Amino acid sequence: MAGEIFISYRRADAAWARLLHSQLHAEGVEAWYDALVGPGEDWRVATAKALEASHIFVLLFSENAAQSSDIAKELAAATLEKKLIVPVRLQNIAPKGAFLYELASRNWINAYEDTEAKLAELAKGLAQHVRTAGRDPTLLPFERDPGNNRAASREKRSRLALIGAAAMAVVAGCAAAAFWFWPARHWTVENSRPFISSLELEGEPAFSPDGKILAYTSGLEGGQRKIYVRNLSGGNGVKITNDSFDDASPTWSPDGARLAYVAIQPGQPCHFMIATIPAGETREAGRCAAAESSAISWQPGTSYIYSVERSGLKGDIIWRFDLDTGARQKIVQMKALRDVITSLHCSPDGKRLIYLLRGDGIVVRDIAKASEEMPGNIVSGNGWTISLGWTRDSATVLAAHSSGTGGSEIVAHPLDGSPSYRIYTTAMKVNHFAVADGVLALETDISRSNLARASVNPVNQPDIIDPASGMTWSPSFAPDGTLLFLSNRSGTNAIWMMKPGAAPSLLLDGGSTSFNRAVFSPDGSKMAVIYRASTTSAIKIMTRAGATTASFDVPSEGLGMPSWTRDGKAVITFDRRCLCAWRVEAADVTKRKVFAPPHWVGIADRESGTFSTRADKPGIWRIDQEIRQINDSYPRYYDPPMAFRGTDILVPEFDAGDIPRIMAQPESGGPMHLLAYAPGAQSRTGQAAFAVNPLNGEIIYTASVARDTNIDLLTLAKR
């Protein structure tokens, strides 16, 4: 069945083409898309051959695809050859021009909502269609029947003929039809280009009010960031700050003459700084209330900046700070540690704030009314939402969603209640972004991480055991030495397994599913995998062969979880609603009960005891008997599960010197001792995870082998 299906798409929609291809492959159908063109092969010849050999033509239709003359030619050729045409609408738009001519009377598959599930449904229908050789369109999930449409068209023509003498009525009817049926104008990305790329890490873009200058941060990995500005019309970046702090979160004054930013110094409340443009003269305007770091946004038309700060076990706080007088006012006080606020932005008209509330989604706050709302059309489970922005008309919220390790999309959420829609997808990870008139600036992350072996000697380079492109994370060993891990090396997020002495093998291709952690059960017969779904997080319990035996939603991922109970009969998860860990039975996930009191995270339940960490302070505690602290230096907010070597707990020290170290903390307490070095291990951006091979005691960890972030510019239009 090789070449049975031809997938036509625009490069901006490559992630969806790749997902559909993998879904068809999983169904046993070999489809073709241009990513399969071999090195040195003429893509025109390869495309023509693949199109000729196929029987089914799948068109992934979007604003980007509608502008492609090559896709229009492919569609015309497929129509001429009498292929089965399957148009799939990735965006809620109507065809125009050549596409209108070819597609007006055809069935459509609408996949602009819940795209991943709709493509999976399509893949199953196509596979059945191919296997039965029935050429039966009813096997496919079309949204409308062409016969009914033709009947409707005849009825409409007849109706128009009856009123043909009433010219004004015809005009009025046409106007009404245009009003009701003309597709709403949507934001769309038309093209992209690299803008800032160097050996340093560039990020946190912010446009000046007139959209002509971009401010951004830049600095070497592990060093202090500085604020730069650069004209979009050309030229090099100009450094604006030159202090002894780590500078972040640039935001422009309403007149574009100044920049406010946050200056960070470990152990001290952060500084609010003001720099003039272009001279770069700086002054301190104030300090954070208590937090070491913050993110700020300047309210247009005022002297106010809004900042968000962490406050221990209490929830995050949004402050309003007057840069002229120094007056401070608390705007939002969240109630508990679980209420984490990120990506705070004022609207261009100065009337609203938006921010992400972890686990609940996008919140819109009316500044004048001091009221908050979570409109239904823009609520988004933000386990995979990483940053927000406004269109310049203040009418639409843009949200960047990322799998965490690779693959991102930007979704538009209109405030008028219209349905949300996707405007851009990319195989790269997108972090921060900024919006101006007609342009988007994206901070893109092209970092790579591989599995490495820790060294007893202080070497500078990681000992890579599994070189691969992309990101690798979450290693976990079974008792027989089989290594389980997650990786996007194949172009999609997937679960991989490496048996002793063998090469890695793909266990489960998750497509665009955002896998976070995968953990073997104590006996190695099962695994628990936590991933991000569209509105929540979820856990799969799987056999070693990759079959799912149970799955259930969880309200939050938690730090260092899921983990397994010592008997391997249950998984331990975290519930942000009660700030506590739960035991969920693997054989019956409806059976669950509280496992630990509030605030204990990263729980490791072992034969020797139950160990835990806290989110509000560094350290390790034993909690199964009398609560006792045995370590005060295990990193706070460290995300991966605890790792053990015999009766020692591995404690990463990322900033102990030039080379990250692994210390051994006895479970019984007492002083630590140096165990190994882990060059390339990182405490941020995909925190390094550690695992110990039970057969030989080797420590395997995720090492950064290439760390780079750049800034790209995208042309933004509304059509």
Side-chain angles (χ1 to χ4, degrees):
M1 293 184 290
E4 182 74 18
I5 298 173
F6 182 100
I7 303 174
S8 179
Y9 70 102
R10 191 71 184 268
R11 186 66 59 189
D13 303 317
W16 296 120
R18 183 170 59 248
L19 175 61
L20 178 59
H21 180 268
S22 65
Q23 289 170 334
L24 287 166
H25 183 74
E27 294 289 339
V29 177
E30 293 298 329
W32 187 93
Y33 71 134
D34 64 8
L36 301 179
V37 176
E41 188 177 5
D42 189 318
W43 67 269
R44 299 174 185 82
V45 175
T47 301
K49 288 182 177 179
L51 184 58
E52 183 180 3
S54 66
H55 293 95
I56 302 172
F57 182 90
V58 176
L59 168 62
L60 300 184
F61 191 71
S62 66
E63 282 280 7
N64 291 299
Q67 299 168 24
S68 172
S69 59
D70 287 333
I71 294 178
K73 294 174 183 176
E74 292 173 359
L75 175 60
T79 302
L80 181 64
E81 295 294 327
K82 294 182 171 52
K83 314 286 186 186
L84 173 60
I85 309 295
V86 183
V88 181
R89 204 190 315 249
L90 297 178
Q91 293 175 273
N92 188 10
I93 60 173
K96 300 176 183 178
F99 291 95
L100 177 62
Y101 178 81
E102 297 289 351
L103 299 174
S105 63
R106 296 188 181 274
N107 293 358
W108 281 93
I109 292 174
N110 290 331
Y112 45 81
E113 295 181 357
D114 201 6
T115 305
E116 183 173 343
K118 200 67 177 180
L119 291 182
E121 181 184 1
L122 171 61
K124 291 182 182 296
L126 287 170
Q128 185 178 0
H129 190 80
V130 170
R131 283 193 290 266
T132 60
R135 303 291 185 265
D136 182 4
T138 63
L139 294 173
L140 304 178
F142 288 119
E143 297 293 335
R144 59 186 175 91
D145 178 75
N148 290 341
N149 284 320
R150 287 192 293 270
S153 298
R154 288 194 297 270
E155 181 181 349
K156 184 176 180 180
R157 286 193 297 270
S158 176
R159 199 162 52 242
L160 290 175
L162 291 175
I163 61 172
M168 293 303 295
V170 172
V171 172
C174 292
F179 176 80
W180 287 108
F181 298 111
W182 194 267
R185 297 175 69 215
H186 282 173
W187 293 103
T188 183
V189 169
E190 297 187 332
N191 54 64
S192 64
R193 63 182 175 91
F195 183 58
I196 303 172
S197 178
S198 73
L199 296 178
E200 296 190 346
L201 306 179
E202 294 87 15
E204 300 192 63
F207 282 109
S208 60
D210 62 7
K212 296 180 180 180
I213 304 175
L214 187 73
Y216 59 97
T217 63
S218 182
L220 294 173
E221 170 66 14
Q224 293 180 338
R225 294 166 292 178
K226 298 304 168 193
I227 308 295
Y228 289 73
V229 295
R230 181 173 174 178
N231 282 291
L232 267 64
S233 59
N236 296 320
V238 177
K239 185 191 289 188
I240 296 300
T241 66
N242 195 31
D243 50 39
S244 59
F245 305 127
D246 180 26
D247 302 328
S249 192
T251 181
W252 288 85
S253 64
D255 61 4
R258 294 170 294 166
L259 272 172
Y261 63 95
V262 177
I264 303 167
Q265 188 172 21
Q268 296 185 16
C270 54
H271 308 255
F272 296 141
M273 307 293 290
I274 303 291
T276 59
I277 304 299
E281 297 175 355
T282 60
R283 66 177 178 88
E284 182 174 314
R287 302 287 293 272
C288 295
E292 291 185 13
S293 64
S294 178
I296 61 174
S297 181
W298 201 318
Q299 183 182 4
T302 73
S303 60
Y304 299 140
I305 60 170
Y306 290 82
S307 67
V308 57
E309 299 185 30
R310 300 266 149 80
S311 57
L313 285 177
K314 297 179 181 179
D316 286 3
I317 300 172
I318 297 177
W319 295 92
R320 182 169 66 193
F321 183 84
D322 192 324
L323 292 169
D324 291 341
T325 67
R328 185 193 309 274
Q329 181 181 356
K330 188 181 295 185
I331 301 299
V332 175
Q333 169 69 74
M334 306 310 295
K335 295 180 179 180
L337 177 65
R338 67 177 179 266
D339 299 323
V340 175
I341 296 172
T342 59
S343 199
L344 178 73
H345 296 278
C346 290
S347 60
D349 62 10
K351 295 180 179 180
R352 293 185 177 95
L353 281 173
I354 50 170
Y355 60 86
L356 285 170
L357 184 59
R358 186 174 68 185
D360 288 328
I362 303 169
V363 179
V364 179
R365 181 179 179 86
D366 187 305
I367 295 176
K369 296 179 180 178
S371 62
E372 293 179 347
E373 57 180 338
M374 302 172 76
N377 68 306
I378 71 165
V379 172
S380 173
N382 63 344
W384 64 309
T385 307
I386 55 175
S387 58
L388 301 176
W390 288 94
T391 54
R392 281 302 172 104
D393 59 5
S394 299
T396 303
V397 176
L398 301 183
H401 304 298
S402 174
S403 67
T405 52
S408 303
E409 64 181 21
I410 296 179
V411 175
H413 301 281
L415 291 185
D416 63 2
S418 302
S420 301
Y421 56 93
R422 182 184 304 105
I423 69 170
Y424 182 70
T425 59
T426 175
M428 294 184 292
K429 180 183 177 183
V430 172
N431 296 323
H432 302 89
F433 70 94
V435 191
D437 287 329
V439 64
L440 270 172
L442 301 185
E443 176 191 334
T444 55
D445 192 335
I446 56 173
S447 303
R448 291 192 295 121
S449 65
N450 287 171
L451 296 176
R453 182 185 295 109
S455 171
V456 295
N457 299 312
V459 294
N460 291 317
Q461 296 298 321
D463 180 13
I464 303 298
I465 67 167
D466 175 43
S469 298
M471 301 289 289
T472 297
W473 68 103
S474 188
S476 177
F477 275 103
D480 66 354
T482 296
L483 179 61
L484 175 73
F485 61 91
L486 303 173
S487 180
N488 63 3
R489 65 187 64 198
S490 61
T492 57
N493 296 323
I495 303 173
W496 291 75
M497 193 172 286
M498 184 190 299
K499 296 181 179 179
S505 60
L506 179 66
L507 182 66
L508 176 66
D509 188 337
S512 61
T513 300
S514 179
F515 293 128
N516 194 0
R517 287 185 289 273
V519 186
F520 265 129
S521 61
D523 65 359
S525 64
K526 300 184 291 293
M527 63 189 77
V529 181
I530 189 167
Y531 61 97
R532 296 165 187 161
S534 59
T535 58
T536 185
S537 295
I539 292 177
K540 284 181 181 289
I541 298 175
M542 305 172 65
T543 67
R544 188 163 172 151
T548 300
T549 60
S551 63
F552 57 97
D553 291 345
V554 289
S556 47
E557 296 178 8
L559 297 173
M561 289 188 275
S563 58
W564 289 86
T565 55
R566 64 188 72 181
D567 59 10
K569 294 182 178 180
V571 292
I572 304 171
T573 70
F574 190 76
D575 190 331
R576 67 178 183 83
R577 295 169 298 189
C578 65
L579 294 177
C580 56
W582 286 71
R583 173 189 171 117
V584 180
E585 300 298 323
D588 184 356
V589 297
T590 63
K591 295 181 179 179
R592 55 188 72 185
K593 61 182 180 180
V594 174
F595 186 84
H599 305 308
W600 297 111
V601 295
I603 294 175
D605 188 40
R606 294 166 53 83
E607 294 295 338
S608 54
T610 303
F611 303 88
S612 183
T613 62
R614 293 176 67 92
D616 61 318
K617 61 182 69 174
I620 301 172
W621 287 258
R622 181 167 177 175
I623 64 172
D624 56 319
Q625 300 172 347
E626 180 182 353
I627 295 176
R628 179 170 64 93
Q629 186 172 6
I630 62 173
N631 176 279
D632 62 2
S633 62
Y634 194 83
R636 175 174 174 252
Y637 282 122
Y638 182 60
D639 191 54
M642 266 189 274
F644 294 77
R645 188 183 190 190
T647 59
D648 289 332
I649 307 172
L650 272 57
V651 178
E653 288 189 347
F654 297 105
D655 302 314
D658 294 335
I659 305 171
R661 305 189 305 182
I662 306 171
M663 306 298 290
Q665 171 63 65
E667 293 178 348
S668 58
M672 297 189 298
H673 63 272
L674 178 62
L675 196 60
Y677 294 89
Q682 292 186 330
S683 61
R684 60 181 181 179
T685 312
Q687 293 174 323
F690 300 86
V692 178
N693 189 334
L695 298 184
N696 54 24
E698 282 186 343
I699 301 172
I700 302 300
Y701 69 100
T702 51
S704 174
V705 295
R707 175 86 173 102
D708 193 15
T709 58
N710 301 314
I711 294 177
D712 294 344
L713 291 184
L714 282 64
T715 301
L716 185 66
K718 196 171 188 179
R719 301 191 184 283

